[in-house]
Coordinates of all heavy atoms in Angstrom, one line a residue:
M1 N -18.7 20.0 -7.0 CA -18.6 18.9 -6.0 C -18.2 19.6 -4.7 O -17.4 20.4 -4.6 CB -17.5 18.0 -6.4 CG -17.5 16.7 -5.6 SD -16.5 15.4 -6.4 CE -15.0 15.7 -5.7
S2 N -19.0 19.2 -3.6 CA -18.7 19.8 -2.3 C -17.5 19.2 -1.7 O -17.1 18.0 -2.0 CB -19.9 19.5 -1.4 OG -20.1 18.2 -1.2
E3 N -16.8 20.0 -0.9 CA -15.6 19.5 -0.2 C -16.0 18.5 0.9 O -17.0 18.6 1.5 CB -14.9 20.7 0.4 CG -13.5 20.4 0.8 CD -12.8 21.7 1.1 OE1 -13.0 22.7 0.3 OE2 -12.1 21.8 2.1
L4 N -15.1 17.5 1.0 CA -15.4 16.5 2.0 C -15.2 17.1 3.4 O -14.3 17.9 3.7 CB -14.4 15.3 1.9 CG -14.6 14.5 0.6 CD1 -13.5 13.5 0.5 CD2 -15.9 13.8 0.5
E5 N -16.0 16.6 4.3 CA -15.9 17.0 5.7 C -15.5 15.8 6.5 O -16.1 14.8 6.5 CB -17.2 17.6 6.3 CG -17.5 19.0 5.7 CD -18.8 19.5 6.3 OE1 -19.0 19.3 7.5 OE2 -19.5 20.2 5.5
F6 N -14.4 15.9 7.2 CA -13.8 14.8 8.0 C -14.2 14.9 9.4 O -14.1 16.0 10.0 CB -12.3 14.8 7.9 CG -11.8 14.4 6.5 CD1 -11.8 15.3 5.5 CD2 -11.4 13.1 6.3 CE1 -11.3 14.9 4.2 CE2 -11.0 12.6 5.0 CZ -10.9 13.6 4.0
E7 N -14.7 13.8 10.0 CA -15.2 13.8 11.4 C -14.3 12.8 12.2 O -13.9 11.8 11.7 CB -16.6 13.3 11.4 CG -17.6 14.1 10.7 CD -18.0 15.3 11.5 OE1 -17.9 15.3 12.7 OE2 -18.5 16.3 10.8
P8 N -14.1 13.1 13.4 CA -13.3 12.2 14.3 C -14.0 10.9 14.4 O -15.2 10.8 14.6 CB -13.2 12.9 15.6 CG -13.6 14.3 15.4 CD -14.5 14.3 14.2
A9 N -13.2 9.8 14.3 CA -13.8 8.4 14.4 C -13.2 7.6 15.6 O -13.9 6.9 16.3 CB -13.6 7.7 13.1
A10 N -11.9 7.7 15.7 CA -11.2 6.9 16.8 C -9.8 7.4 17.0 O -9.3 8.3 16.2 CB -11.1 5.5 16.3
N11 N -9.2 7.0 18.0 CA -7.7 7.2 18.2 C -7.0 6.2 17.3 O -7.3 5.1 17.2 CB -7.3 7.0 19.6 CG -7.9 8.1 20.6 OD1 -8.0 9.2 20.2 ND2 -8.4 7.6 21.7
V12 N -5.9 6.7 16.7 CA -5.1 5.9 15.9 C -4.7 4.6 16.6 O -4.7 3.5 16.1 CB -3.8 6.6 15.4 CG1 -2.9 5.7 14.6 CG2 -4.2 7.7 14.4
D13 N -4.3 4.8 17.9 CA -3.8 3.7 18.7 C -4.8 2.6 18.9 O -4.5 1.5 19.3 CB -3.2 4.1 20.0 CG -2.0 5.0 19.9 OD1 -1.4 4.9 18.8 OD2 -1.6 5.6 20.8
D14 N -6.1 3.0 18.8 CA -7.2 2.0 19.0 C -7.4 1.1 17.8 O -8.1 0.1 17.9 CB -8.5 2.7 19.3 CG -8.4 3.4 20.7 OD1 -7.6 3.0 21.5 OD2 -9.2 4.4 20.9
V15 N -6.8 1.4 16.7 CA -7.0 0.6 15.5 C -5.8 -0.4 15.4 O -4.8 0.0 14.8 CB -7.1 1.4 14.2 CG1 -7.6 0.6 13.1 CG2 -8.1 2.6 14.4
Q16 N -5.9 -1.5 16.1 CA -4.8 -2.4 16.2 C -4.5 -3.1 14.8 O -5.4 -3.4 14.1 CB -5.2 -3.5 17.2 CG -5.4 -3.0 18.6 CD -4.2 -2.4 19.3 OE1 -3.1 -3.1 19.3 NE2 -4.2 -1.2 19.8
A17 N -3.2 -3.4 14.6 CA -2.8 -4.1 13.4 C -3.5 -5.4 13.3 O -3.6 -6.2 14.2 CB -1.3 -4.3 13.4
G18 N -4.1 -5.7 12.1 CA -4.7 -7.0 11.8 C -6.1 -7.1 12.4 O -6.7 -8.2 12.3
E19 N -6.7 -6.0 12.9 CA -8.0 -6.1 13.5 C -8.9 -5.0 13.0 O -8.4 -4.0 12.5 CB -8.0 -6.0 15.0 CG -7.3 -7.2 15.6 CD -7.4 -7.2 17.1 OE1 -8.1 -6.4 17.7 OE2 -6.7 -8.1 17.7
G20 N -10.2 -5.2 13.2 CA -11.2 -4.2 12.8 C -11.7 -3.4 14.0 O -11.7 -4.0 15.1
L21 N -12.1 -2.2 13.8 CA -12.7 -1.4 14.9 C -14.0 -0.8 14.3 O -13.9 -0.1 13.3 CB -11.8 -0.3 15.4 CG -12.3 0.6 16.5 CD1 -12.4 -0.2 17.8 CD2 -11.4 1.8 16.7
R22 N -15.1 -1.1 15.0 CA -16.4 -0.4 14.6 C -16.5 0.9 15.2 O -16.3 1.0 16.4 CB -17.5 -1.4 15.0 CG -18.9 -0.8 14.7 CD -20.0 -1.8 15.2 NE -21.3 -1.2 15.3 CZ -22.2 -1.3 14.3 NH1 -21.9 -1.9 13.2 NH2 -23.4 -0.7 14.4
C23 N -17.0 1.9 14.5 CA -17.2 3.2 15.1 C -18.4 3.8 14.3 O -18.7 3.4 13.2 CB -16.0 4.1 15.1 SG -15.1 4.2 13.6
I24 N -19.0 4.8 15.0 CA -20.1 5.5 14.4 C -19.7 6.9 14.0 O -19.2 7.6 14.9 CB -21.3 5.6 15.3 CG1 -21.8 4.2 15.8 CG2 -22.5 6.3 14.7 CD1 -22.3 3.3 14.7
V25 N -19.8 7.2 12.7 CA -19.4 8.6 12.2 C -20.6 9.2 11.6 O -21.1 8.7 10.6 CB -18.2 8.5 11.2 CG1 -17.8 9.9 10.8 CG2 -17.1 7.7 11.8
R26 N -21.1 10.3 12.2 CA -22.3 11.0 11.6 C -23.4 10.0 11.4 O -24.1 10.1 10.3 CB -21.9 11.7 10.3 CG -22.2 13.2 10.4 CD -22.0 13.8 9.0 NE -20.9 14.6 9.0 CZ -20.1 14.7 7.9 NH1 -20.3 14.1 6.8 NH2 -19.1 15.6 7.9
G27 N -23.6 9.1 12.3 CA -24.7 8.1 12.1 C -24.4 6.9 11.3 O -25.2 6.0 11.2
H28 N -23.3 6.9 10.6 CA -22.9 5.7 9.8 C -22.0 4.8 10.6 O -21.1 5.2 11.2 CB -22.1 6.2 8.5 CG -22.8 7.0 7.6 ND1 -23.4 6.5 6.4 CD2 -23.1 8.4 7.6 CE1 -24.0 7.5 5.8 NE2 -23.8 8.6 6.4
A29 N -22.3 3.5 10.5 CA -21.4 2.5 11.1 C -20.3 2.3 10.1 O -20.4 1.9 9.0 CB -22.2 1.2 11.3
V30 N -19.1 2.5 10.6 CA -17.9 2.5 9.8 C -16.9 1.5 10.4 O -16.8 1.4 11.7 CB -17.2 3.9 9.7 CG1 -15.8 3.8 9.0 CG2 -18.1 4.8 9.0
A31 N -16.2 0.7 9.6 CA -15.2 -0.3 10.1 C -13.9 0.3 9.7 O -13.6 0.5 8.5 CB -15.5 -1.7 9.5
L32 N -13.0 0.4 10.7 CA -11.6 0.8 10.5 C -10.7 -0.4 10.5 O -10.9 -1.3 11.4 CB -11.2 1.8 11.5 CG -12.0 3.1 11.6 CD1 -11.4 4.0 12.7 CD2 -12.0 3.9 10.3
F33 N -9.7 -0.4 9.6 CA -8.8 -1.6 9.6 C -7.4 -1.0 9.5 O -7.1 0.0 8.7 CB -9.1 -2.5 8.4 CG -10.4 -3.2 8.5 CD1 -11.5 -2.6 7.8 CD2 -10.6 -4.3 9.3 CE1 -12.7 -3.2 7.9 CE2 -11.9 -4.8 9.4 CZ -12.9 -4.3 8.7
N34 N -6.5 -1.7 10.1 CA -5.1 -1.3 10.1 C -4.3 -2.4 9.3 O -4.2 -3.5 9.8 CB -4.5 -1.2 11.5 CG -3.1 -0.8 11.6 OD1 -2.3 -1.1 10.7 ND2 -2.6 -0.3 12.7
V35 N -3.9 -2.0 8.1 CA -3.1 -2.9 7.3 C -1.7 -2.4 7.1 O -1.5 -1.4 6.5 CB -3.8 -3.1 5.9 CG1 -2.9 -4.0 5.0 CG2 -5.2 -3.6 6.0
D36 N -0.8 -3.0 7.8 CA 0.6 -2.6 7.8 C 0.8 -1.1 8.1 O 1.6 -0.4 7.4 CB 1.2 -2.9 6.4 CG 1.2 -4.4 6.1 OD1 1.4 -5.2 7.0 OD2 1.1 -4.8 4.9
G37 N 0.1 -0.7 9.1 CA 0.2 0.7 9.5 C -0.7 1.7 8.8 O -0.7 2.9 9.2
Q38 N -1.3 1.2 7.7 CA -2.2 2.1 7.0 C -3.6 1.9 7.4 O -4.0 0.7 7.4 CB -2.1 1.9 5.5 CG -0.7 2.2 4.8 CD -0.5 3.7 4.8 OE1 -1.4 4.4 4.4 NE2 0.6 4.2 5.1
I39 N -4.3 2.9 7.7 CA -5.7 2.8 8.2 C -6.7 3.0 7.0 O -6.5 3.9 6.2 CB -6.0 3.7 9.4 CG1 -5.1 3.2 10.5 CG2 -7.5 3.7 9.7 CD1 -5.3 4.1 11.8
H40 N -7.7 2.1 6.9 CA -8.7 2.1 5.9 C -10.0 2.1 6.5 O -10.2 1.5 7.6 CB -8.5 0.9 4.9 CG -7.2 0.8 4.3 ND1 -6.8 1.6 3.2 CD2 -6.1 0.1 4.7 CE1 -5.5 1.3 2.9 NE2 -5.1 0.4 3.8
A41 N -11.0 2.8 5.9 CA -12.4 2.9 6.4 C -13.3 2.4 5.3 O -13.3 2.9 4.2 CB -12.7 4.3 6.8
I42 N -14.2 1.4 5.7 CA -15.3 1.0 4.8 C -16.6 0.9 5.6 O -16.5 1.0 6.9 CB -15.0 -0.4 4.2 CG1 -14.8 -1.5 5.2 CG2 -13.8 -0.3 3.2 CD1 -14.7 -2.9 4.6
D43 N -17.7 0.8 4.9 CA -19.0 0.6 5.6 C -18.9 -0.7 6.4 O -18.3 -1.7 6.0 CB -20.0 0.4 4.5 CG -21.4 0.8 5.0 OD1 -21.5 1.7 5.8 OD2 -22.4 0.1 4.6
D44 N -19.4 -0.6 7.7 CA -19.3 -1.8 8.6 C -20.3 -2.9 8.2 O -20.2 -4.0 8.8 CB -19.5 -1.3 10.0 CG -19.1 -2.5 11.0 OD1 -18.1 -3.2 10.7 OD2 -19.9 -2.7 11.9
R45 N -21.3 -2.6 7.4 CA -22.4 -3.6 7.2 C -22.0 -4.3 5.9 O -21.9 -3.7 4.8 CB -23.7 -2.9 7.0 CG -24.9 -3.9 6.9 CD -26.2 -3.1 6.8 NE -27.3 -4.0 6.6 CZ -27.6 -4.4 5.4 NH1 -27.0 -4.0 4.3 NH2 -28.7 -5.2 5.2
C46 N -22.0 -5.6 6.0 CA -21.7 -6.5 4.8 C -22.8 -6.3 3.8 O -24.0 -6.1 4.1 CB -21.7 -8.0 5.3 SG -21.4 -9.1 3.9
S47 N -22.5 -6.3 2.5 CA -23.5 -6.1 1.4 C -24.3 -7.3 1.2 O -25.3 -7.3 0.5 CB -22.8 -5.7 0.1 OG -21.9 -6.7 -0.3
H48 N -24.0 -8.4 1.8 CA -24.7 -9.7 1.7 C -25.8 -9.9 2.8 O -26.7 -10.6 2.6 CB -23.8 -10.9 1.6 CG -24.4 -12.2 1.4 ND1 -24.5 -13.1 2.4 CD2 -25.0 -12.7 0.3 CE1 -25.1 -14.2 1.9 NE2 -25.5 -14.0 0.7
G49 N -25.6 -9.3 3.9 CA -26.5 -9.5 5.0 C -26.1 -8.7 6.2 O -25.3 -7.8 6.2
E50 N -26.8 -9.0 7.3 CA -26.7 -8.2 8.6 C -25.5 -8.7 9.4 O -25.6 -9.4 10.4 CB -27.9 -8.3 9.4 CG -29.2 -7.7 8.8 CD -29.1 -6.2 8.7 OE1 -28.4 -5.6 9.5 OE2 -29.8 -5.6 7.8
A51 N -24.3 -8.3 9.0 CA -23.1 -8.7 9.7 C -22.2 -7.5 9.8 O -22.1 -6.7 8.8 CB -22.4 -9.8 9.0
S52 N -21.5 -7.4 10.9 CA -20.5 -6.3 11.1 C -19.1 -6.8 10.6 O -18.6 -7.8 11.0 CB -20.3 -6.0 12.6 OG -19.2 -5.2 12.8
L53 N -18.6 -6.1 9.6 CA -17.3 -6.5 9.0 C -16.2 -6.3 10.0 O -15.2 -7.0 9.9 CB -17.0 -5.7 7.7 CG -18.0 -6.1 6.6 CD1 -17.8 -5.2 5.4 CD2 -18.0 -7.5 6.2
A54 N -16.3 -5.3 10.9 CA -15.3 -5.2 11.9 C -15.1 -6.4 12.8 O -14.1 -6.6 13.4 CB -15.6 -4.0 12.8
D55 N -16.2 -7.3 12.8 CA -16.1 -8.5 13.6 C -15.5 -9.7 12.8 O -15.4 -10.8 13.3 CB -17.5 -8.9 14.1 CG -18.0 -8.0 15.2 OD1 -17.2 -7.3 15.8 OD2 -19.2 -8.0 15.4
G56 N -15.1 -9.4 11.6 CA -14.6 -10.4 10.7 C -13.1 -10.7 10.9 O -12.5 -10.2 11.9
W57 N -12.5 -11.4 10.0 CA -11.1 -11.8 10.1 C -10.3 -11.1 9.0 O -10.6 -11.3 7.8 CB -10.9 -13.3 10.0 CG -11.5 -14.0 11.2 CD1 -10.9 -14.2 12.4 CD2 -12.9 -14.4 11.3 NE1 -11.8 -14.8 13.3 CE2 -13.0 -14.9 12.6 CE3 -14.0 -14.4 10.5 CZ2 -14.2 -15.4 13.1 CZ3 -15.2 -14.9 10.9 CH2 -15.3 -15.4 12.2
L58 N -9.3 -10.3 9.4 CA -8.5 -9.6 8.4 C -7.3 -10.4 8.0 O -6.5 -10.9 8.9 CB -8.1 -8.2 9.0 CG -7.3 -7.3 8.1 CD1 -8.3 -6.8 7.0 CD2 -6.8 -6.0 8.9
E59 N -7.1 -10.6 6.7 CA -5.9 -11.3 6.2 C -5.4 -10.4 5.1 O -6.0 -10.3 4.0 CB -6.4 -12.7 5.7 CG -5.2 -13.5 5.4 CD -5.6 -14.9 5.0 OE1 -6.6 -15.5 5.6 OE2 -5.0 -15.5 4.1
G60 N -4.2 -9.9 5.3 CA -3.7 -8.9 4.3 C -4.6 -7.7 4.2 O -4.9 -7.1 5.2
C61 N -5.1 -7.4 3.0 CA -6.0 -6.3 2.9 C -7.4 -6.8 2.7 O -8.3 -6.0 2.3 CB -5.6 -5.3 1.8 SG -5.6 -6.1 0.1
E62 N -7.7 -8.1 3.0 CA -9.0 -8.6 2.8 C -9.7 -8.9 4.2 O -9.1 -9.5 5.0 CB -9.0 -9.9 2.0 CG -8.9 -9.7 0.5 CD -9.1 -11.0 -0.2 OE1 -8.5 -12.0 0.2 OE2 -9.8 -11.0 -1.2
I63 N -11.0 -8.5 4.3 CA -11.7 -8.8 5.5 C -12.7 -9.9 5.1 O -13.4 -9.8 4.1 CB -12.4 -7.6 6.1 CG1 -13.1 -7.9 7.4 CG2 -13.4 -6.9 5.1 CD1 -12.2 -8.2 8.5
E64 N -12.7 -10.9 5.9 CA -13.7 -12.0 5.7 C -14.9 -11.8 6.6 O -14.7 -11.7 7.9 CB -13.0 -13.4 6.0 CG -14.0 -14.5 5.8 CD -13.3 -15.9 6.0 OE1 -12.4 -16.2 5.1 OE2 -13.5 -16.5 7.1
C65 N -16.1 -11.8 6.1 CA -17.3 -11.6 6.8 C -17.5 -12.7 7.8 O -17.3 -13.9 7.4 CB -18.5 -11.5 5.8 SG -20.1 -11.3 6.7
P66 N -17.9 -12.4 9.0 CA -18.0 -13.5 10.0 C -19.3 -14.4 9.8 O -19.4 -15.4 10.4 CB -18.2 -12.7 11.4 CG -18.7 -11.4 11.0 CD -18.1 -11.1 9.6
L67 N -20.2 -13.9 8.9 CA -21.4 -14.7 8.8 C -21.4 -15.8 7.7 O -21.6 -16.9 8.0 CB -22.6 -13.7 8.5 CG -24.0 -14.2 8.9 CD1 -24.0 -14.7 10.3 CD2 -25.0 -13.0 8.7
H68 N -21.0 -15.4 6.5 CA -20.9 -16.5 5.4 C -19.6 -16.5 4.7 O -19.4 -17.0 3.6 CB -22.0 -16.2 4.4 CG -23.4 -16.1 5.0 ND1 -24.1 -14.9 5.0 CD2 -24.1 -17.0 5.6 CE1 -25.3 -15.1 5.6 NE2 -25.3 -16.4 6.0
Q69 N -18.6 -15.8 5.3 CA -17.2 -15.9 4.8 C -17.0 -15.2 3.4 O -16.0 -15.5 2.8 CB -16.7 -17.3 4.8 CG -16.4 -17.9 6.2 CD -17.8 -18.2 6.9 OE1 -18.6 -18.9 6.4 NE2 -17.9 -17.6 8.1
G70 N -17.9 -14.3 3.0 CA -17.6 -13.5 1.9 C -16.4 -12.6 2.2 O -16.1 -12.4 3.4
R71 N -15.8 -12.0 1.2 CA -14.7 -11.1 1.5 C -14.7 -9.8 0.7 O -15.3 -9.7 -0.3 CB -13.4 -11.8 1.0 CG -13.0 -13.0 1.9 CD -11.8 -13.7 1.4 NE -11.3 -14.6 2.4 CZ -10.0 -14.6 2.9 NH1 -9.1 -13.7 2.5 NH2 -9.7 -15.4 3.8
F72 N -14.1 -8.8 1.4 CA -14.0 -7.5 0.8 C -12.5 -7.0 0.9 O -11.9 -7.3 1.9 CB -14.9 -6.5 1.5 CG -16.3 -6.8 1.4 CD1 -16.9 -7.6 2.4 CD2 -17.1 -6.3 0.4 CE1 -18.2 -8.0 2.3 CE2 -18.5 -6.7 0.3 CZ -19.0 -7.5 1.3
D73 N -12.1 -6.2 -0.1 CA -10.8 -5.5 0.0 C -11.1 -4.2 0.8 O -11.8 -3.3 0.4 CB -10.4 -5.1 -1.5 CG -9.0 -4.5 -1.5 OD1 -8.6 -3.8 -0.5 OD2 -8.4 -4.6 -2.5
V74 N -10.4 -4.1 1.9 CA -10.6 -3.0 2.8 C -10.1 -1.7 2.3 O -10.4 -0.6 2.7 CB -10.1 -3.2 4.3 CG1 -10.7 -4.4 4.9 CG2 -8.6 -3.3 4.3
T75 N -9.2 -1.8 1.2 CA -8.6 -0.5 0.7 C -9.6 0.2 -0.3 O -9.4 1.4 -0.5 CB -7.3 -0.8 -0.1 OG1 -7.6 -1.6 -1.3 CG2 -6.3 -1.6 0.8
N76 N -10.6 -0.5 -0.8 CA -11.5 0.1 -1.7 C -13.0 -0.4 -1.6 O -13.8 0.1 -2.3 CB -11.0 -0.1 -3.2 CG -10.9 -1.6 -3.5 OD1 -11.5 -2.5 -2.9 ND2 -10.0 -1.9 -4.5
G77 N -13.2 -1.3 -0.7 CA -14.6 -1.8 -0.5 C -15.1 -2.8 -1.5 O -16.2 -3.3 -1.4
K78 N -14.3 -3.2 -2.5 CA -14.7 -4.2 -3.5 C -14.9 -5.6 -2.9 O -14.1 -6.0 -2.1 CB -13.8 -4.2 -4.7 CG -13.8 -3.0 -5.5 CD -12.9 -3.1 -6.7 CE -13.0 -1.8 -7.6 NZ -12.0 -1.7 -8.6
A79 N -16.0 -6.2 -3.4 CA -16.2 -7.6 -3.0 C -15.2 -8.5 -3.7 O -14.9 -8.3 -4.9 CB -17.6 -8.1 -3.4
T80 N -14.5 -9.4 -3.0 CA -13.5 -10.2 -3.6 C -13.8 -11.7 -3.5 O -13.0 -12.5 -4.0 CB -12.1 -10.0 -2.9 OG1 -12.2 -10.2 -1.5 CG2 -11.7 -8.5 -3.2
A81 N -14.8 -12.1 -2.7 CA -15.2 -13.5 -2.6 C -16.6 -13.7 -2.4 O -17.2 -12.9 -1.6 CB -14.4 -14.2 -1.5
A82 N -17.2 -14.7 -3.0 CA -18.6 -15.1 -2.9 C -18.9 -15.5 -1.4 O -17.9 -16.0 -0.8 CB -19.0 -16.2 -3.8
P83 N -20.1 -15.3 -0.9 CA -21.3 -14.8 -1.7 C -21.4 -13.3 -1.8 O -22.5 -12.9 -2.3 CB -22.4 -15.4 -0.8 CG -21.9 -15.3 0.6 CD -20.5 -15.6 0.5
C84 N -20.4 -12.6 -1.5 CA -20.5 -11.1 -1.6 C -20.2 -10.7 -3.1 O -19.2 -11.1 -3.7 CB -19.5 -10.4 -0.7 SG -19.7 -10.8 1.0
L85 N -21.1 -10.0 -3.7 CA -21.0 -9.5 -5.1 C -20.9 -8.0 -5.1 O -20.2 -7.5 -6.0 CB -22.2 -10.0 -5.9 CG -22.4 -11.5 -5.9 CD1 -23.7 -11.9 -6.6 CD2 -21.2 -12.2 -6.6
E86 N -21.6 -7.3 -4.2 CA -21.7 -5.9 -4.3 C -20.6 -5.3 -3.3 O -20.4 -5.8 -2.2 CB -23.0 -5.4 -3.8 CG -24.1 -5.5 -4.7 CD -25.4 -5.0 -4.1 OE1 -25.4 -3.9 -3.4 OE2 -26.5 -5.6 -4.4
A87 N -20.0 -4.3 -3.8 CA -19.0 -3.6 -3.0 C -19.7 -2.9 -1.8 O -20.9 -2.6 -1.8 CB -18.3 -2.5 -3.8
V88 N -18.9 -2.6 -0.8 CA -19.4 -1.7 0.3 C -18.7 -0.4 0.1 O -17.6 -0.3 -0.6 CB -19.1 -2.3 1.7 CG1 -19.9 -3.6 2.0 CG2 -17.6 -2.5 1.9
A89 N -19.2 0.7 0.7 CA -18.6 2.0 0.5 C -17.3 2.0 1.2 O -17.1 1.4 2.3 CB -19.6 3.0 1.1
S90 N -16.4 2.8 0.6 CA -15.1 3.0 1.3 C -15.0 4.5 1.5 O -15.6 5.3 0.7 CB -13.9 2.5 0.5 OG -13.7 3.2 -0.7
Y91 N -14.4 5.0 2.5 CA -14.4 6.4 2.9 C -12.9 6.9 3.0 O -12.1 6.2 3.5 CB -15.1 6.6 4.2 CG -16.5 6.0 4.3 CD1 -16.8 4.9 5.0 CD2 -17.5 6.6 3.5 CE1 -18.1 4.4 5.1 CE2 -18.8 6.1 3.6 CZ -19.1 5.0 4.3 OH -20.3 4.5 4.3
P92 N -12.7 8.1 2.6 CA -11.4 8.7 2.8 C -11.1 9.0 4.3 O -12.1 9.3 5.0 CB -11.5 10.1 2.0 CG -12.8 10.0 1.3 CD -13.7 9.0 1.9
I93 N -9.9 8.8 4.6 CA -9.5 9.1 6.0 C -8.3 10.1 6.0 O -7.6 10.3 5.1 CB -9.1 7.8 6.8 CG1 -7.8 7.3 6.3 CG2 -10.2 6.8 6.7 CD1 -6.8 7.2 7.4
R94 N -8.2 10.7 7.2 CA -7.0 11.6 7.5 C -6.6 11.3 8.9 O -7.4 10.9 9.8 CB -7.3 13.1 7.4 CG -7.5 13.6 6.0 CD -7.7 15.1 6.0 NE -7.9 15.6 4.7 CZ -8.6 16.7 4.4 NH1 -9.0 17.5 5.4 NH2 -8.7 17.1 3.1
I95 N -5.3 11.4 9.2 CA -4.8 11.3 10.5 C -4.4 12.7 11.0 O -3.6 13.3 10.3 CB -3.6 10.3 10.6 CG1 -3.9 9.0 9.9 CG2 -3.1 10.2 12.0 CD1 -4.9 8.1 10.7
V96 N -5.0 13.1 12.1 CA -4.6 14.4 12.6 C -4.5 14.3 14.1 O -5.4 13.9 14.8 CB -5.8 15.5 12.3 CG1 -5.4 16.8 12.9 CG2 -5.9 15.6 10.8
A97 N -3.3 14.6 14.6 CA -3.0 14.7 16.0 C -3.4 13.4 16.7 O -4.1 13.4 17.8 CB -3.7 15.9 16.7
G98 N -3.1 12.2 16.1 CA -3.3 11.0 16.7 C -4.8 10.5 16.6 O -5.1 9.5 17.2
R99 N -5.6 11.2 15.9 CA -7.0 10.8 15.7 C -7.2 10.4 14.2 O -6.6 11.0 13.3 CB -7.9 11.9 16.0 CG -7.8 12.5 17.4 CD -8.6 11.7 18.4 NE -10.0 11.9 18.3 CZ -11.0 11.1 18.8 NH1 -10.6 10.0 19.4 NH2 -12.2 11.3 18.6
V100 N -8.1 9.4 14.0 CA -8.5 9.0 12.7 C -9.8 9.8 12.4 O -10.8 9.8 13.1 CB -8.8 7.5 12.6 CG1 -9.2 7.2 11.1 CG2 -7.7 6.7 13.1
L101 N -9.7 10.6 11.3 CA -10.9 11.3 10.8 C -11.4 10.7 9.6 O -10.6 10.2 8.7 CB -10.5 12.8 10.5 CG -9.7 13.6 11.5 CD1 -9.6 15.0 11.1 CD2 -10.4 13.6 12.9
V102 N -12.7 10.5 9.5 CA -13.3 9.8 8.3 C -14.3 10.8 7.7 O -15.1 11.5 8.4 CB -14.0 8.5 8.8 CG1 -14.7 7.8 7.6 CG2 -13.0 7.6 9.5
A103 N -14.3 10.8 6.3 CA -15.3 11.6 5.6 C -16.4 10.6 5.1 O -16.2 9.7 4.3 CB -14.7 12.2 4.4
V104 N -17.6 10.8 5.7 CA -18.8 10.0 5.2 C -19.8 11.0 4.7 O -19.8 12.2 5.0 CB -19.4 9.2 6.4 CG1 -18.5 8.2 6.9 CG2 -19.9 10.1 7.5
P105 N -20.7 10.5 3.8 CA -21.8 11.4 3.3 C -22.7 11.9 4.3 O -22.9 11.2 5.4 CB -22.6 10.4 2.3 CG -21.8 9.2 2.3 CD -20.9 9.1 3.4
R106 N -23.2 13.0 4.1 CA -24.2 13.6 5.0 C -25.5 12.9 4.9 O -25.9 12.4 3.9 CB -24.4 15.1 4.7 CG -23.3 15.9 5.2 CD -23.7 17.4 5.3 NE -22.6 18.1 5.9 CZ -22.4 18.3 7.2 NH1 -23.2 17.8 8.0 NH2 -21.4 19.0 7.6
Ligands
FES201 S1 -23.6 -11.5 5.6 FE1 -21.6 -11.3 5.0 S2 -21.2 -12.9 3.6 FE2 -23.3 -13.1 4.2

C-alpha cells in the first residue's frame, strides 16, 4: 500500500466552527468541517446529486445537503438520512503549522 501524500487545503482558522469550507485539493472538491475543534474532510459532492455539501447545514457531526436535505456523518462520510444512501469519500487530514493538509487519491 502506498503512503498517503498530504496536500495543503486551507488555513485552520478559515474552517469556522459549525460551518463547511469548500476547497480544491489535487483537483478534488473537498469539504472541510470543524466539529468541536476537530477538522474533518469529506468529498464535497453529495452522492445523491449535484450539490456542494460545504453549502449545507452542520448539526453536530452531521451535514445536511442543501438540495434535498439528505445527511452525512462528516467524520466518516456515511449517509445517515434519506434520500442519501451512498457514502461520500472521507479523507485523512493533518494539521501542520496552522494549515490543514488533506490526503486525497491521485
Ligand atoms: S443532492 Fe444531496 S440530498 Fe439530493
Side-chain angles (χ1 to χ4, degrees):
M1 192 165 90
S2 66
E3 196 166 316
L4 294 174
E5 289 184 36
F6 288 82
E7 299 281 338
N11 292 319
V12 172
D13 292 347
D14 293 337
V15 192
Q16 300 290 312
E19 294 187 10
L21 179 71
R22 176 184 168 90
C23 49
I24 303 296
V25 182
R26 235 190 250 146
H28 294 261
V30 173
L32 301 177
F33 297 98
N34 177 336
V35 179
D36 297 329
Q38 294 288 316
I39 295 177
H40 303 277
I42 61 174
D43 204 38
D44 188 45
R45 185 178 175 277
C46 181
S47 61
H48 182 250
E50 294 290 336
S52 165
L53 295 176
D55 290 340
W57 294 272
L58 186 64
E59 190 176 323
C61 64
E62 282 188 315
I63 184 69
E64 183 175 284
C65 177
L67 204 50
H68 307 114
Q69 290 72 54
R71 289 178 168 235
F72 299 90
D73 184 331
V74 301
T75 68
N76 55 27
K78 288 185 178 166
T80 57
C84 301
L85 302 173
E86 285 179 40
V88 294
S90 67
Y91 304 111
I93 69 125
R94 284 182 184 159
I95 307 293
V96 178
R99 301 276 288 162
V100 183
L101 311 184
V102 179
V104 296
R106 284 199 175 271

